[in-house]
Every structure is written in structure tokens, then in C-alpha cells.
Amino acid sequence: MDEDKTTRVTVRNITDLARLAGVSPGTVSRALAGKSLVNTKTREKIEALAREHGFRPNQMASGLRRQKTGVIGVVIPLGHDSRQQISDSFFMTLLGHLADELTREGYDLMLRRVVPEDDADWLDRFIGSGMIDGVIVIGQSDQFDRIEDVADGYGPMVVWGNHTEGQRHCVVGTDNRLGGRLAAERLIAAGATRLAFLGDTTAMEFAARFAGAQDIASRMGLPPIITLPTHLSPDRASEEIAQHLAARASQIDGIFAATDTLAALCLTELRACGIAVPGDMKLAGFDDLPIARQTVPPLTTVRQDIAAGARGLVDLLLRRLAGEKTESLVLPPQLVVRATT
Amino acid sequence: MDEDKTTRVTVRNITDLARLAGVSPGTVSRALAGKSLVNTKTREKIEALAREHGFRPNQMASGLRRQKTGVIGVVIPLGHDSRQQISDSFFMTLLGHLADELTREGYDLMLRRVVPEDDADWLDRFIGSGMIDGVIVIGQSDQFDRIEDVADGYGPMVVWGNHTEGQRHCVVGTDNRLGGRLAAERLIAAGATRLAFLGDTTAMEFAARFAGAQDIASRMGLPPIITLPTHLSPDRASEEIAQHLAARASQIDGIFAATDTLAALCLTELRACGIAVPGDMKLAGFDDLPIARQTVPPLTTVRQDIAAGARGLVDLLLRRLAGEKTESLVLPPQLVVRATT
DNA sequence: GTGAAAGCGCTAACAC
DNA sequence: GTGTTAGCGCTTTCAC
């Protein structure tokens, strides 16, 4: 008769299970958490029962009690440019790798996309929610100062972005300035002398890429690099690129695009204008996304090691979670020469 | 002297705040939750104090008590093909839109990528974690049956994928079979008579696309469409496509690729083989990702409306959360003719 | 090796 | 309109 009851019971919590197993809730908790001191037989019985009833401990309750959630927040601040940074391939790919790394370390990932101008409080709000043990910020956008402010009072935060001398938040990112130098050197080696930078230089990472390119232009005694600002969403960017080309193409013979996405768009517009690449115009991108291999001609670009970036972010975050004070991690960019230079 | 203390105090919870405000925890809770019956002055005082101390209520505790978390789980099952479906552009773009929609509805998003063959229990585990109010599954992968099993006992679940007559789980997706028909019709209209399907037909969505194309081939009295299976990761796919072309290119004059990503890769390989598109070979893709506009020549493809898909998923999920029993949503595909047919 | 009991921070009856 | 109280489901001393 006991069996009759047993099979019909729904197990909502650890106490129900304990009743079924004829032990106390504490023991069930210990058994299910894989804690040391539980009799093997007792443990097996409890595990069997749990499996049979498809029971798993409530993470919210566990989190509340233990004061840790097992969840890492990942937040993508969308700058001025807000919408449609959405599909920025680079960030999305980084996100995919982050998901893998965090999963492997036993953490869940809580994703938040925020528009800082609508919500000045975005970072504190996320951190203060009590839902996450730590936070990874993907991209500094135009929020450098806000992130700096938070860094003083909150340890478990790591940011993907650009490293600036003396900054207080822990950052992982490619050496953008060096990357910019590599790109410019290559463009010049391929014969370009009048360079342009394609992309919005208010974003720190892009500004550093531009600055690196300018370093080289200056050193070589070339005229200053002109900037061709664009938005990041493909639709607007295409249009803006077309306008830039119409106005400036005759003044330049080399373009350094802030990202491969922009470079690919630019290539399409150049083709539309009848400007030969690399004959009339050299072109270099940044990121080395899959698309860089598929453009016609294939794109010369500066590779960022996305997988290493994700590993770095997670590794540093875990160490900060453990109380360590970590330094920032700056990854080396790598020039990949293909056929547009 | 009271002020001296006040400014130094750290506010860890609602009780601390209550003490500072000279009210009870209950009142603070009501005030911060924007509940109806709180004196305006009391509320303002509490809000001011909360702001001053950067306090926000702990969501885990609130969630535990209210038996809802304000979090929606989004899970991406990685089929056989496991790794590197990572960066599948379509899923990533869909995820971006989902993040937007959920945020707009006041929900947070918990992201999980799972490898079903390593963890048969992936879906139950996620649902049973107590961390999420509902779940969106992105892609059925090869897990159709498992999802069906769960659907019977768990309401708040919506799946992106293919709709099959009589299925029990609520799905949102494009009419893949119709999309396949559109692609095949176009390839044939452009002069192709011997078609191939490029991609892995064990995935349901792809199988339906293939079936749609085959519908048309049969109706037109053409020979059966041959299948050219590939993996999804760009590296392996490129290689496989090259092999397929070496072996079969002479037998076919039209290729329907399961996705734009595959189509773009295929275009690159066709170029490498010296096969002219659309002269010697017609080509059509599926998805209408940004890359479809940037290939050379630009790709004829079948558009899926990703934003509408995301809206549909969230809308249906919210209604299910409210207890409604919703039907599946099948979205119409749209043929986009460019220059590869 | 196991049970009993206190509480993590919050909310929602129920009083008044 | 506000205070009081009893938990949400779990973990973890502290006993034994």
C-alpha cells in the first residue's frame, strides 16, 4: 500500500523527497550536492528516487541560501548607434565562445543588451540584481567612465574592449593600436599613399585602430589619414559608404576599414563604382571573420583571436571571483594578407 | 549624530532600508514594487533612500517567494554536428532579436547551449532548475522526440523549428517546404534541370526544404534531386563542398543550398573550380542573411523573416505563460531573386 | 552519518 | 496605509 502512494506523489522539494526516502531534508541536500559524508547506500537511494521523480533542487532557493547563483551576467551595451549592433558578427561570435567556456566551468549565462542612454544605471542595476555572481561586459561602447566608476566598488567584472594606460577596470582585448599599425603598414607596402579610415572613431577600439594607422602614416611622412565615419548597421553603412566614395574616392588609394563587415560592404560599393581592388584601391579590414575569406577578392585583414579572448575573459573572471586581483590581458593581433592589398 | 551613522551604513536588504526609513520591511517592499497602497510621501522617502544607497531588492529572494523569476531560458541544442554551430549566423541573429523582445517585455534571458548526446536530460534539467519561468528552444536539431515528450507536461515552452502535422509542441518557424518549392521553381525557371541539394538532411528544417524542392522536381518530371551532405562548420563544409563538386559537378546544373552560409561557401568553391554562376550552374540559398547581398554575384535566396520569428516566439510564450493554449505559427517564406539564378 | 533548527531576502495575507 | 508574521526551498552549523 505504501507503493501505491509513492508512485502517485509529486516531489516538489527536498522535503518531499526526504519523506519518500525516510531521511531528513538535510541528508537529501547533502546527497544531491555530492557532499562528502553521506552513507553510500543512503545516497544511492536518494539519487534513485530523485531520478525516478525527475526532481532537481531549486536553484533560486539554493542560490539565496548560499549567496551565490552560479550565473554569470553578460551585458552588451549598445552605444549611440544602438539598434542593430545586434547582429555585429564579432560580438555574436564572442558570445558563442563565452557560452561554451562558461558552461564548461559550470556557470550559466544571463544575457542582457542595454541602451545606456535610456538607462544610465544599466551596470549597477545588473550587478545589484542579486541574480549574478559576476559580470562580463562585451564592448566599452561609449561607457568607459561608467565602467570605471563601477570597477572601484565591484570586483568580479571583466570587460572586453580596449586597454588604456592606467585604467582601473580589468579588460581583455586585442592590441588595437598595434593592429592599426599592421594594417597601415600593409596598405602602404602594397603601394597606397593616401589613406582613409572607414568607421566611427568615437568607439574606443576603433579610435585605437585609427591611431595606430596614423602612427604609421606620420612615420612614413604621408598625409594625415582622413576619416570616413559610418554607422554599424549594414543598411545605413552601405549608404554612407557610397556617399563617402562619391565624394572622396579620387583623393585616396587605400582604405582601412574598422571591421571586416564594413570592409565587405565597402568592397561591394567599390565594385558598384567601378573601382578596382586592389588595382585602384587597396583595402584592409579588421577581425578576420569568416566573411573575410569569402569576399571577392578575399580580404586582407587583422585577425583577433576570438576564442582566446573568450577564454581570457572567463579565466580572469573566475580568478576575480576567487578574490584575486587580476591584470588586464592584451592579445596580439595578427596580419592576414589576402588579395585586397 | 543620527546622520553620522546613516551615511556610513550599508544597506544589504529591505530590512536595513526599512530601519533607515523608519518603516517596516513590508512597506519598503510595497513601495519599491510600485504597489498601489503606499502613502506618496513614504514612497518618495523610500525611493530616495534606495537611490542614495544604490539599493535594489534581491531578485533571487523575490523570485523564490513569488514563485516566478522574470527570466526566460533560451536553449540551443547542438546536434550531431555539435561544435561550431556556434556561430551559425541565423541562430545568432535570431538570438539578438529575442534578447530585444524579451527585454522589452521585462524579462531577462538565460542562455544555454547544450550537446544532447552528452546530456540526454538537457531540457528537463533546464526547466527543472527553478531559474526560469519559461523556455524557448532554438532549433529542433535531432531532438524532436525529446521535445515532444516534454511538451506534454510543461506548458511555457515554444520552439523555433519546423512544423509537422500533428505535433504536440508549439513551434514557430518558416514554411520550409514551401520555401524549398520556391527555390526549386526559381532554379528551374532559370534553366536548371538537374538539381542538387547542398546540406545535411537529417535536420528537420533542412529535410523539409529538400522535400519541397523535390516536390517541384517531381511535378516537372525532372530526375530526383541528389543530396550533397555537409557539416555546418565553415572549415569542414568548404572541404566537403569541394569534394562534392569534384565528383558531381558535371552531373548537375543547379544547386539549392540549405542555408546562405553554405551557398556563399559553395560560390567560393565554384569559382575555384572555374564553374561560372549562373552561366554553368544556378545557385539558390536560404535565409537571406546579410551575406546574400554581398556575394559575387549576389545570391538568389529564400528569405526568412527573423524579426517576425522572434516576435512570434516571445508573443506565444507570454500567452502560454498566461495559461493560454496556443497554436503553432508558420511564417511565409519569400523568394528573393538576385543574380545567381 | 544523520537530524533539528535557524535563516538567506523577500512578499503577501492578515490584522489594525 | 502600515506593521506583523509566516513561509518560498534550500544549506549548514550544531548536536548526537
Side-chain angles (χ1 to χ4, degrees), chain B residues 232-303:
Chain B
L232 282 176
S233 82
D235 294 343
R236 302 182 68 175
S238 285
E239 200 180 309
E240 291 162 336
I241 293 169
Q243 288 167 9
H244 285 312
L245 290 179
R248 311 291 211 107
S250 60
Q251 306 161 29
I252 57 177
D253 56 9
I255 298 176
F256 173 27
T259 71
D260 284 351
T261 309
L262 246 22
L265 253 20
C266 185
L267 207 44
T268 304
E269 295 304 325
L270 284 165
R271 175 181 309 274
C273 297
I275 299 175
V277 177
D280 302 333
M281 185 77 77
K282 320 295 177 207
L283 177 65
F286 206 104
D287 286 344
D288 196 27
L289 298 176
I291 196 177
R293 279 190 275 192
Q294 295 183 60
T295 56
V296 182
L299 188 66
T300 291
T301 190
V302 177
R303 170 177 300 162

Side-chain angles (χ1 to χ4, degrees), chain A residues 56 59-60 64 71 86 99-100 108-113 121 124 129-131 264-265 271 294 296, chain B residues 56 59-60 64 71 86 99-100 108-113 121 124 129-131 264-265 271 294 296:
Chain A
R56 25 216 133 226
Q59 303 249 83
M60 302 288 280
L64 179 58
V71 179
I86 290 182
D100 283 345
D108 266 311
L109 187 165
M110 184 133 147
L111 178 65
R112 206 124 133 172
R113 307 173 69 251
D121 213 24
D124 296 289
S129 70
M131 294 277 277
L265 254 18
R271 174 182 309 274
Q294 296 184 59
V296 182
Chain B
R56 28 217 133 225
Q59 302 250 83
M60 301 288 278
L64 179 57
V71 180
I86 287 183
D100 283 344
D108 265 311
L109 185 164
M110 185 133 146
L111 179 65
R112 212 176 249 204
R113 308 172 67 252
D121 212 23
D124 296 289
S129 71
M131 294 278 276
L265 253 20
R271 175 181 309 274
Q294 295 183 60
V296 182

